[in-house]
Amino acid sequence: MYLNQFLLLSAFLFCAGFYGVLTRKHSVLVLMSIELMLAAVNLNFVAFGAFRADVVGQVFALFVLTIAAAEVGVGLAIVLLIYRNLKSSNPDDLDTLKG
Amino acid sequence: MTLGSVDLHPWFLENAWLIPLIPAVSFVAILAFGKRLGAKAAWIGIGSVGAVWLLALGNVFQWIQRVNGFRATESEHGAPEGHLEAVSAFGRSVMRPFSEASHHEVAFVEPITRSMSWWSNGGMSLDVGIRIDGLAVMMLFVVTTISLLVHYYSTEYMKDDRRFTHYYAALSLFTASMLVLVVADNTVQLLVGWELVGLCSFLLIGHWWEDKPNSSAALKAFLTTRTGDIGLLCGVAMTYFVVERATGTGSFNIGAVNEAAMSLGHEGLAKSLLFWCAAGLLLGIIGKSGQFPLHTWLPDAMAGPTPVSALIHAATMVVAGVYLGARMFPVFFQGFDIAGGGVNLMAAVGGITVIIGAGLAFVQRDIKKVLAYSTISQLGYMVMALGVGAWSAAIFHLFTHAFFKANLFLGAGSVSHSGAHHSFDMVDDMGGLRKYMPKTFATFMIGTAALSGFPLLAGFFSKDEILATAGHNGFEFFMYLGFIGGGMTAAYMTRCVWLTFFGEYRGRKHAAHGHDEHSHDDNGHTEPHESTFPILMPLYVLSFMSVFAGILFAPMLKDTIGSSIFSKFPEWVEPGGDGSLFVSFIHPEFSWKDPLLATLFAAVGFGLSYLFFWKKAFMQDATQKNKALRQGKTFLENKYYLDHLYTDIIVGSVKGPIARGAYWVNQNIIDAVLRLTGGGVRKVGQFTYDVLDQKAVDGVPNGLAAITGAAGGSTRNVQTGRLQEYALLILSGTVVLGGMVAALVWAS
Amino acid sequence: MLGAQLLVAENAFFYVIAAVMAYGAIRVVTTNNIVHAALYLVVVLAGGAAQYLLLGQEFVAWVQVIVYIGAVIVLFLFGIMLTRAPMKAEEKLTNDLRGAALIPTGLLAAILATLCLDAFSDKTVDLVSPIRTKAVTSAIFRGYLVPFEVVGVLLLGALIGAVVLARRD
């Protein structure tokens, strides 16, 4: 198999996540899109690990997984806090930076 | 070469890792049991440092054996081939070995190294270990000796202190950290020890933190040295890449770094890598060793207890910078191109510090501050010596300076403790103490003489060697700078001694202690008196060393008497070799010019100061008598005129404006710069607001404000406050930038 | 290279899974039902795990299944529940940046695709030697012990942080 099969799939997933981060109207969905991007990065790591027959790709993928899990935990806690304070989970309502 | 006569597994050297470990254990023990033991807790510290001192002595003896073994083996096999290259290392034809008879060949003495992996990560691993060579053994000896004396001295000096156990715990931790720094076999371990001694310094300066100036001084010391540590951190990181560039695999190992630095050439990237590495390390040295312009913390650090000043801020911690410079000398040697002569960064920093420090010492009222500025000046000598390639002389000065400066500090502590109601003010609370405390006076005089370069004492030989080598290596300017600094040293020390020990006692004999340094309840201390044995004993030991330590490296005596004892120090400490592992050093041939010139400068400094203080006192007394005898005494009148000339014009012009100017620069400009970098943004903002905004621009700006308002109003629409629009803009920018980089890479 | 193309079964699996993943990914970022989005994310992540298996990297594949599908998705569902998000497709869940966001997304896709095609178009993945779990663990606990510990501390920090943030007081 070509390496590019995996890389292009990963690029596609990454772009989908990118789009989701910019367009979703619910904070939890934005977090999901970020997970999508991280999954894409992981696929890249694993593909390169297999390509180079090197275990490091898998090791890094595991670290990314761990950090993604931590990020979801803290991210959801923040979303919950915002929801409790603003009664909304739409990122558009967080407009205190409006000039 | 065969190593038949060399003990391959010397016990003391191979087990030098015990040396930092024992005080570390003692630190924990004092913390754990200190409160219960009370004053006996000191003896845990003293016992551990005593044990460490014995180990250090064992190290010294085995190292000397090792050196002799290596050198004996070498001489059986004739002179090494690298000898001529070694001579051309400085690229000057005038260089010849220090003594043809004993130094015609110098074998590289393998250091003892042991290490284990501390942690590893990917391809990189960090070790923790020991690297014992002559330099490290010398430092082990100095640190443990001074630390032991200070531990003992403190039992009396710090008696009944309210944080007695904490004090001893911190002393133990300091000793342990300093020894970690000394034995470190890689730069990261060295950095760990370096930061730990900084921490201990902070703790001990702020020992009496209830008083605001003390805690401020502790903070200032910590933050100022931390400024230098930014450079050190970068330098240490770069040592890894220095080795990587030379050998292909990076390493923090000090031996590897030195070898890599020696092998890297003078061209292109390697040269600038070495330069920046050396510059970063030099910044660390500037911070830690009180070099200009980061020296301002050291005088303030005198807020700590006096034994701490002697141990940390005179003899050991502040020379950590010099030690680093000596340990990593090949990096500086190549990075600053020291062999080329002329001016380099390191020598310049040291040279400026010599003069600045000595000038400032003139205008101090506080005896410890005189000594602090003197320490700065002497550290300047050491850094300058490294900068001019006088490696052996620099560390020899480190060696002798540790003894005589600790002697002076402990003497000042004795004066303050027993003679001046815990005050350090020479002008108000001292004077005439010679009669009350003759033993302290004698030891203090020996320390002063050694520091001022009195012939045949320790400081004379070490300073002389620095200046002789500086001149020899093509740094004539720095040599004369050093001579002038020597003269200034003699002059301010004369002033200090006069104010403290001569004249009339100016302290209040029966007053309450207005300048109490700590809550020492001393009912019997109403009259100045001699100190007790725990204070005097360290003074005797240190005075002995101040007198005799110099003979280990005394080319003058070697030239006249000819015994090999007079060149033992460089023989034991220098690594030797052909210049591939470490710089190989060439000692200048002895000439009478240098010691005579140095003595002349010191004598002039002493003489001017003497005329100013003693004679002025004498003349003030005598003019009243002279009124009766005036007619026949025009001769005295002439002398008075000369005195006037000396005091007002020469000494006055040296002492007053220059010193005050330097002090002003120190207090106003340098401190201001440091303050600015600390809280500067606010100040700049304030200035902009007060001066520019409120005064200068106030007439003009209505139109400007309107324009700005319009511009702001139009750009305001971008600031919708919507997170995802911000994200869109940021990410689009990132993508475009990424695309441009990709296009560039693709195009090339 | 010939060998790479002759692996019919693997290639077939890859393209089928990739198509499912791509569809899932698009649905995650476009669907108007938030629970469906979470389930589509499960599809994408499971497909990713399958791709890892295809590449012979089994340990990370199973970790992906356990951690992502087992824990993270459940966490997401809890998050949806606690924020009382609309469970049914009654309002649009995408904002008015839909069109604008397509521009940088398309640009990014173009750049990534160009770079991949330019740099790796003739590289093939050798599937002969799958990497065993033993090798992974020895790499983590020998070569990468310190990052491993650091990540452990990070997880602890995240745990405490999440508790502190979400506490109701």
Side-chain angles (χ1 to χ4, degrees):
Chain A
M1 284 189 288
Y2 288 108
L3 177 61
N4 257 344
Q5 291 172 329
F6 297 95
L7 299 189
L8 291 175
L9 176 60
S10 157
F12 181 82
L13 293 181
F14 191 85
C15 291
F18 187 90
Y19 181 74
V21 168
L22 293 179
T23 57
R24 294 309 247 167
K25 262 169 83 174
H26 193 285
S27 307
V28 174
L29 285 170
V30 172
L31 278 179
M32 282 187 201
S33 307
I34 292 174
E35 290 305 307
L36 208 55
M37 291 164 85
L38 284 169
V41 169
N42 254 357
L43 183 59
N44 239 348
F45 271 127
V46 173
F48 273 110
F51 168 62
R52 296 171 53 96
D54 192 340
V55 73
V56 174
Q58 243 190 98
V59 171
F60 269 80
L62 286 170
F63 284 133
V64 171
L65 256 166
T66 322
I67 289 172
E71 178 251 316
V72 170
V74 176
L76 279 176
I78 294 172
V79 168
L80 211 59
L81 197 66
I82 291 171
Y83 179 75
R84 238 185 257 145
N85 288 336
L86 299 180
K87 294 288 166 241
S88 160
S89 48
N90 186 347
D92 283 354
D93 293 338
L94 307 175
D95 59 356
T96 44
L97 282 177
K98 188 169 168 57
Chain B
M1 93 182 128
T2 59
L3 295 173
S5 54
V6 176
D7 180 4
L8 287 175
H9 295 286
W11 189 87
F12 281 107
L13 297 178
E14 291 212 322
N15 291 288
W17 51 271
L18 281 169
I19 294 180
L21 195 64
I22 293 173
V25 170
S26 139
F27 164 67
V28 176
I30 294 176
L31 274 192
F33 309 117
K35 283 276 179 237
R36 225 171 302 157
L37 290 173
K40 290 196 199 83
W43 291 94
I44 301 179
I46 295 175
S48 72
V49 178
V52 165
W53 183 70
L54 291 176
L55 287 176
L57 273 191
N59 268 292
V60 170
F61 286 123
Q62 289 197 332
W63 179 258
I64 290 171
Q65 275 178 3
R66 189 175 172 81
V67 170
N68 291 342
F70 265 87
R71 302 267 151 88
T73 318
E74 184 60 29
S75 58
E76 284 163 19
H77 289 74
E81 291 300 313
H83 185 58
L84 281 177
E85 282 93 325
V87 173
S88 64
F90 273 101
R92 286 169 65 87
S93 57
V94 290
M95 305 224 171
R96 255 178 296 162
F98 158 54
S99 162
E100 295 287 344
S102 66
H103 274 252
H104 61 105
E105 71 247 4
V106 186
F108 183 76
V109 184
E110 287 282 332
I112 301 271
T113 55
R114 285 180 80 185
S115 65
M116 51 191 253
S117 182
W118 181 15
W119 53 266
S120 59
N121 177 22
M124 191 181 100
S125 87
L126 267 186
D127 293 345
V128 55
I130 56 169
R131 177 181 175 83
I132 303 298
D133 55 11
L135 180 62
V137 168
M138 188 279 294
M139 273 303 270
L140 287 180
F141 177 71
V142 169
V143 172
T144 54
T145 307
I146 309 264
S147 179
L148 182 59
L149 293 174
V150 163
H151 269 78
Y152 185 52
Y153 181 98
S154 302
T155 56
E156 169 65 25
Y157 192 86
M158 299 296 286
K159 197 158 72 184
D160 304 325
D161 188 82
R162 57 185 171 279
R163 276 187 295 276
F164 187 79
T165 49
H166 286 177
Y167 174 81
Y168 269 93
L171 273 192
S172 275
L173 181 62
F174 170 78
T175 310
S177 335
M178 188 70 204
L179 294 169
V180 165
L181 190 159
V182 169
V183 300
D185 87 324
N186 61 67
T187 46
V188 174
Q189 192 186 343
L190 195 142
L191 186 69
V192 170
W194 181 281
E195 297 299 342
L196 276 173
V197 292
L199 173 71
C200 297
S201 163
F202 170 76
L203 292 175
L204 287 165
I205 293 169
H207 184 70
W208 295 305
W209 46 262
E210 286 88 347
D211 296 334
K212 184 81 178 107
N214 295 351
S215 58
S216 310
L219 266 179
K220 182 175 180 183
F222 197 69
L223 295 178
T224 313
T225 48
R226 217 44 76 249
T227 311
D229 288 351
I230 295 168
L232 181 71
L233 205 59
C234 300
V236 163
M238 272 188 275
T239 56
Y240 185 85
F241 299 108
V242 167
V243 178
E244 192 177 43
R245 185 157 183 85
T247 63
T249 1
S251 163
F252 287 110
N253 188 286
I254 288 175
V257 173
N258 284 343
E259 190 179 350
M262 290 313 290
S263 72
L264 283 179
H266 284 291
E267 80 294 330
L269 198 57
K271 164 111 178 130
S272 75
L273 178 65
L274 276 172
F275 173 78
W276 287 109
C277 182
L281 295 176
L282 179 65
L283 190 56
I285 295 175
I286 288 172
K288 198 61 131 195
S289 288
Q291 298 297 295
F292 178 83
L294 291 181
H295 62 276
T296 49
W297 67 272
L298 190 53
D300 285 15
M302 297 299 127
T306 311
V308 168
S309 309
L311 175 64
I312 300 186
H313 305 118
T316 54
M317 186 195 81
V318 289
V319 301
V322 180
Y323 179 74
L324 172 75
R327 206 82 202 268
M328 316 288 296
F329 189 63
V331 175
F332 298 97
F333 185 77
Q334 299 281 56
F336 290 147
D337 194 19
I338 288 172
V343 176
N344 64 60
L345 210 51
M346 201 175 195
V349 165
I352 293 171
T353 310
V354 168
I355 299 298
I356 291 259
L360 294 173
F362 278 108
V363 289
Q364 304 302 321
R365 288 165 69 95
D366 184 321
I367 184 169
K368 279 177 79 180
K369 292 210 168 165
V370 174
L371 296 177
Y373 281 116
S374 161
T375 305
I376 290 172
S377 171
Q378 299 301 311
L379 290 166
Y381 270 106
M382 297 175 209
V383 172
M384 185 179 88
L386 288 174
V388 301
W391 188 86
S392 319
I395 57 176
F396 187 57
H397 196 55
L398 187 164
F399 179 73
T400 59
H401 174 260
F403 295 117
F404 59 69
K405 191 51 71 62
N407 183 7
L408 287 172
F409 265 110
L410 294 181
S414 168
V415 165
S416 157
H417 187 73
S418 311
H421 305 301
H422 302 168
S423 159
F424 290 100
D425 192 320
M426 295 186 296
V427 180
D428 283 345
D429 296 321
M430 294 184 189
L433 291 174
R434 178 189 59 196
K435 294 189 282 289
Y436 297 103
M437 24 197 353
K439 292 167 187 161
T440 304
F441 169 66
T443 55
F444 200 87
M445 282 310 290
I446 291 172
T448 303
L451 170 61
S452 311
F454 190 79
L456 305 184
L457 296 189
F460 170 75
F461 289 118
S462 56
K463 213 180 289 180
D464 220 39
E465 184 62 23
I466 292 176
L467 302 180
T469 317
H472 171 78
N473 288 354
F475 295 89
E476 282 83 3
F477 173 72
F478 291 104
M479 179 177 75
Y480 288 109
L481 212 60
F483 281 132
I484 293 166
M488 290 169 83
T489 307
Y492 67 69
M493 282 316 291
T494 309
R495 169 178 176 271
C496 171
V497 166
W498 186 81
L499 284 174
T500 308
F501 290 104
F502 292 88
E504 285 299 307
Y505 182 61
R506 294 180 292 278
R508 297 139 301 157
K509 291 195 179 179
H510 297 283
H513 331 303
H515 296 265
D516 246 9
E517 176 179 55
H518 54 83
S519 64
H520 189 140
D521 185 20
D522 45 352
N523 297 322
H525 283 200
T526 46
E527 181 94 357
H529 59 87
E530 186 54 89
S531 297
T532 48
F533 182 73
I535 287 188
L536 288 175
M537 192 281 282
L539 293 178
Y540 295 150
V541 174
L542 291 168
S543 299
F544 176 82
M545 294 303 286
S546 309
V547 174
F548 293 107
I551 60 171
L552 287 175
F553 192 7
M556 187 172 111
L557 298 180
K558 172 120 186 133
D559 200 55
T560 47
I561 303 174
S563 163
S564 69
I565 180 87
F566 299 125
S567 61
K568 282 295 180 199
F569 187 84
E571 192 184 319
W572 290 335
V573 171
E574 275 181 15
D578 58 2
S580 65
L581 296 174
F582 205 86
V583 184
S584 94
F585 301 102
I586 293 97
H587 297 278
E589 207 174 357
F590 174 72
S591 89
W592 281 97
K593 189 195 80 179
D594 302 313
L596 289 180
L597 214 52
T599 312
L600 179 71
F601 270 94
V604 167
F606 167 75
L608 291 180
S609 200
Y610 174 81
L611 290 172
F612 181 69
F613 291 105
W614 266 270
K615 290 298 169 182
K616 186 175 134 205
F618 171 66
M619 287 311 294
Q620 280 166 354
D621 191 13
T623 35
Q624 281 145 12
K625 294 176 193 165
N626 281 356
K627 280 177 184 168
L629 304 167
R630 179 157 288 210
Q631 285 86 348
K633 300 282 184 183
T634 46
F635 169 69
L636 265 184
E637 198 113 10
N638 277 334
K639 194 174 181 189
Y640 180 67
Y641 177 75
L642 273 176
D643 279 346
H644 214 72
L645 179 79
Y646 285 141
T647 54
D648 284 0
I649 297 174
I650 300 177
V651 178
S653 68
V654 171
K655 182 182 89 86
I658 294 177
R660 278 203 197 92
Y663 190 69
W664 184 86
V665 166
N666 188 47
Q667 290 298 313
N668 295 349
I669 295 182
I670 297 169
D671 262 16
V673 168
L674 291 177
R675 266 202 301 277
L676 264 180
T677 48
V681 179
R682 194 186 63 78
K683 279 196 169 173
V684 172
Q686 191 70 39
F687 176 81
T688 317
Y689 178 76
D690 285 341
V691 180
L692 293 180
D693 196 75
Q694 294 293 299
K695 290 173 191 156
V697 195
D698 218 32
V700 188
N702 287 335
L704 272 177
I707 294 166
T708 316
S714 59
T715 47
R716 184 164 170 249
N717 293 336
V718 182
Q719 305 293 341
T720 55
R722 287 185 59 191
L723 285 183
Q724 280 158 320
E725 284 187 13
Y726 290 141
L728 178 68
L729 292 174
I730 294 170
L731 291 178
S732 304
T734 313
V735 167
V736 169
L737 269 179
M740 282 158 68
V741 172
L744 275 176
V745 172
W746 205 19
S748 64
Chain C
M1 201 187 281
L2 255 183
Q5 282 162 333
L6 284 175
L7 293 170
V8 179
E10 279 86 346
N11 270 317
F13 271 117
F14 171 83
Y15 285 113
V16 169
I17 298 169
V20 172
M21 284 172 79
Y23 177 70
I26 291 171
R27 292 301 285 163
V28 169
V29 295
T30 54
T31 179
N32 282 332
N33 186 318
I34 191 164
V35 179
H36 286 182
L39 296 179
Y40 277 118
L41 187 60
V42 171
V43 170
V44 176
L45 295 172
Q51 302 286 21
Y52 299 162
L53 283 178
L54 211 55
L55 285 164
Q57 317 258 334
E58 47 184 35
F59 183 67
V60 73
W62 297 122
V63 170
Q64 168 118 332
V65 170
I66 293 166
V67 173
Y68 260 128
I69 302 171
V72 172
I73 295 297
V74 173
L75 211 57
F76 273 126
L77 290 175
F78 266 105
I80 292 165
M81 200 177 74
L82 288 172
T83 55
R84 297 197 195 87
M87 294 286 189
K88 283 169 282 179
E90 54 203 13
E91 55 172 313
K92 285 187 84 68
L93 280 174
T94 43
N95 60 22
D96 53 356
L97 291 172
R98 280 188 303 274
L102 271 178
I103 300 167
T105 308
L107 192 58
L108 179 66
I111 291 168
L112 289 177
T114 319
L115 285 177
C116 289
L117 291 173
D118 180 52
F120 301 108
S121 57
D122 56 344
K123 301 287 192 296
T124 59
V125 181
D126 172 27
L127 297 183
V128 180
S129 54
I131 291 174
R132 300 283 171 210
T133 304
K134 190 182 167 190
V136 179
T137 48
S138 78
I140 289 179
F141 289 104
R142 292 217 180 106
Y144 293 90
L145 186 59
V146 175
F148 179 77
E149 301 285 353
V150 170
V151 160
V153 174
L154 178 97
L155 276 179
L156 181 67
L159 176 76
I160 296 170
V163 169
V164 169
L165 281 174
R167 232 162 52 129
R168 194 188 290 274
D169 58 352

